[in-house]
Amino acid sequence: AEDLTRILGYVIICSMPRPSRRGELIEFVRTYLTQHGYAPNYREIAKALAIKESGVHRLLHLLRAEGKILLTPGIARSIRLRDIEHKP
């Protein structure tokens, strides 16, 4: 019988987004903010990163928990990067 802890540890590690995906999202948001002056929506991010909108949601909330972005609940296009200043 396999050790359940090892199996659960594998599942947890595999379910975490890879760091490069998080970096891609941050760079896309940074570029979009620079070009447009406002944040992209989830659909635009999903299309740019070739992932589902649910994946965008998960990545954004992970980045918020890490303190790399700010999100305002209930406000569209409210993504703010903590390391840059921009006008809404």
Side-chain angles (χ1 to χ4, degrees):
E2 291 188 16
D3 181 19
L4 183 59
T5 305
R6 192 175 83 225
I7 293 169
L8 290 176
Y10 175 77
V11 170
I12 290 169
I13 290 170
C14 289
S15 67
M16 290 293 292
R18 61 184 196 259
S20 61
R21 180 65 78 190
R22 289 180 277 187
E24 289 172 25
L25 190 149
I26 288 172
E27 285 309 309
F28 175 74
V29 171
R30 183 185 318 278
T31 301
Y32 194 99
L33 283 165
T34 300
Q35 292 176 350
H36 300 278
Y38 54 88
N41 63 31
Y42 284 27
R43 183 173 295 148
E44 292 162 335
I45 296 169
K47 184 176 179 182
L49 273 59
I51 61 176
K52 294 180 179 181
E53 286 185 49
S54 60
V56 172
H57 179 80
R58 190 167 131 231
L59 282 169
L60 288 173
H61 286 276
L62 179 64
L63 290 167
R64 183 179 66 178
E66 292 174 351
K68 295 181 180 177
I69 65 168
L70 299 170
L71 294 173
T72 305
I75 304 295
R77 299 180 183 269
S78 68
I79 303 165
R80 302 289 176 251
L81 301 177
R82 300 212 35 151
D83 64 342
I84 66 170
E85 291 292 324
H86 62 276
K87 295 180 181 180

